[in-house]
Amino acid sequence: MPRPIQATIHTEALRHNLARARQSQPDARVWAVVKANAYGHGIEHAFEGLRAADGFALLNLDEAQRVRALGWRGPILLLEGVFEQRDLELCSRLDLWHVVHCNEQIDMLATHKTHVPHRVFLKMNSGMNRLGFMPQRFRAAWTRLNALPQVDEISFMTHFSDADGPKGVAAQLATFNSVTQDLPGERSLSNSAATLRYPLVGTAPANERVASDWLRPGIVLYGSSPDFPDHSATDWGLQPAMTLSSKLIATQDLAVGDTVGYGSNYTAQQPMRIGVVACGYADGYMRASAGNNEHGTPVLVNGVRTRTVGRVSMDMITVDLTPVPDAGFGSEVTLWGQSSSGVVLPIDEVAAAGGTVGYELMCALAPRVPVVVAD
Ligand SMILES: *Cc1c(COP(=O)(O)O)cnc(C)c1O
């Protein structure tokens, strides 16, 4: 029998979450962002649930090849564009659209030999200061690109730094709009947080209503909230697309004063039973997750909510069985996602107990964890 840990990808949840993202601007097209191997879900595993998207956005050329290998003939966008000259050959061959964020990428295009001109997304650095042309350089970049025979339609794009927080999008939106106002082409602005918090339909003030021809949701597709704890996944009507589950492989009875695990991080204050779960940091469970006497990390045993005690080790974690007295060897453990009885443990709560975000947990799912795709 294999070690009992397993990740389940919920196809119906992916479908539901994609539809939820669309609601914020029903006339826009949607890039399903599947970078980082579909945020740890596996491109091949997530594809069926996301195939109603209008395109797939990602970073690696090998991921683009994998999406084409699945039979996808629609748009694919390289979110960081090409990294070297010969990447453009693959763009020509596989009909990949690509972001252009710097002059070096325009230089490469200018010397690229192709019969079919490329569709590109010209990126503005409107305040994030990672990728893109500064607003005052943007029009010059557009003019240069527009003159190239290698380039077909040019679209415009920027990325928000604070769509999930109090600073919001207004300043970056104003910058982007003022520079691109009279340029012809489609626009792509909203990530998940902007898609949900600044929908085109609704009551937001005009300077915060973000109109995109192409939305770019990532994390919402996978059922994690982009602005937790402001809003939970349930607040946004999202369903978990990944369940990480395992089983108890042992139990221990502790007396007062007994300690648990490496570093004796947790000390029993009363007689108690604990369970040992086949899941550790080598499976992608964060070692930084809380598990001392003050704070634990939430976990479900037989669908009942309890907490971790002691440090996360490579292959095991330990959990308090006080609320689940009937649990024993082989009992179901849900690390995040949905128990077989239908109880949901949001990945965002588990992440928060480790000082991180749902994004990092799902992306960190380790290769040794078997994945099954469910309906
Ligand atoms: C990752 C990424 C997104 C998606 O971000 P989420 O917060 O997951 O919705 C959108 N646009 C770009 C450029 C990205 O790199």
Side-chain angles (χ1 to χ4, degrees), residues 8-355:
T8 306
I9 307 305
H10 305 287
T11 303
E12 192 50 49
L14 290 164
R15 254 184 230 127
H16 167 90
N17 296 334
L18 174 61
R20 172 65 191 85
R22 270 196 201 285
Q23 277 171 16
S24 74
Q25 202 190 320
D27 64 338
R29 274 165 291 167
V30 178
W31 290 116
V33 180
V34 294
K35 61 187 177 187
N37 199 22
Y39 289 47
H41 293 63
I43 286 178
E44 289 75 10
H45 302 131
F47 182 71
E48 186 56 36
L50 297 177
R51 67 184 310 153
D54 300 288
F56 289 90
L58 39 74
L59 303 181
N60 282 330
L61 284 105
D62 80 290
E63 291 183 332
Q65 281 174 298
R66 283 162 60 195
V67 173
R68 284 280 181 252
L70 287 162
W72 179 255
R73 291 162 180 269
I76 295 178
L77 178 65
L78 298 177
L79 286 168
E80 292 181 346
V82 297
F83 305 101
E84 57 178 337
Q85 181 82 39
R86 64 173 184 178
D87 294 347
L88 288 169
E89 285 160 29
L90 199 69
C91 291
S92 292
R93 189 141 45 85
L94 296 182
D95 186 20
L96 308 180
W97 302 4
H98 47 103
V99 166
V100 172
H101 64 76
C102 63
N103 276 314
E104 290 80 356
Q105 289 177 329
I106 303 183
D107 296 341
M108 289 187 240
L109 261 171
T111 54
H112 177 54
K113 291 186 177 54
T114 181
H115 300 297
V116 188
H118 292 195
R119 171 86 182 255
V120 297
F121 277 61
L122 183 60
K123 185 163 188 178
M124 186 191 299
N125 172 11
S126 59
M128 175 80 137
N129 287 317
R130 292 191 318 192
L131 301 182
F133 291 91
M134 294 300 280
Q136 60 275 22
R137 306 252 164 80
F138 194 77
R139 295 188 77 99
W142 178 80
T143 304
R144 222 189 130 202
L145 260 188
N146 197 40
L148 293 182
Q150 291 89 344
V151 171
D152 180 26
E153 205 178 318
I154 305 174
S155 304
F156 306 111
M157 154 174 173
T158 198
H159 194 54
F160 295 124
S161 59
D162 288 80
D164 58 336
K167 189 172 163 191
V169 299
Q172 283 185 263
L173 188 60
T175 302
F176 181 81
N177 284 342
S178 72
V179 176
T180 59
Q181 215 165 32
D182 56 341
L183 293 176
E186 295 188 329
R187 278 132 175 88
S188 179
L189 292 91
S190 293
N191 58 359
S192 293
T195 297
L196 295 179
R197 289 171 66 106
Y198 303 102
L200 199 59
V201 294
T203 54
N207 68 341
E208 290 192 338
R209 237 176 283 156
V210 185
S212 282
D213 298 292
W214 288 90
L215 302 168
R216 297 194 310 273
I219 195 75
V220 285
L221 303 176
Y222 308 102
S224 162
S225 171
D227 63 350
F228 185 83
D230 264 18
H231 296 91
S232 69
T234 312
D235 292 339
W236 289 124
L238 304 171
Q239 299 171 3
M242 182 196 290
T243 293
L244 181 63
S245 59
S246 187
K247 287 181 178 168
L248 295 186
I249 56 169
T251 61
Q252 300 293 341
D253 292 296
L254 305 187
V256 174
D258 283 351
T259 61
V260 181
Y262 288 121
S264 302
N265 220 26
Y266 179 90
T267 307
Q269 308 295 306
Q270 63 277 310
M272 64 188 288
R273 255 175 100 233
I274 62 167
V276 181
V277 185
C279 175
Y281 60 77
D283 300 299
Y285 198 86
M286 293 276 144
R287 188 176 174 280
S289 305
N292 55 30
N293 280 72
E294 285 73 49
H295 302 284
T297 301
V299 58
L300 306 178
V301 177
N302 286 344
V304 176
R305 198 174 165 115
T306 180
R307 52 159 291 189
T308 62
V309 293
R311 271 198 197 138
V312 174
S313 41
M314 186 183 284
D315 311 308
M316 285 173 264
I317 58 172
T318 32
V319 299
D320 183 2
L321 294 181
T322 309
V324 223
D326 55 342
F329 182 90
S331 290
E332 178 194 65
V333 178
T334 308
L335 289 318
W336 59 73
Q338 194 164 353
S339 75
S340 56
S341 58
V343 179
V344 169
L345 176 60
I347 194 169
D348 300 318
E349 290 183 35
V350 179

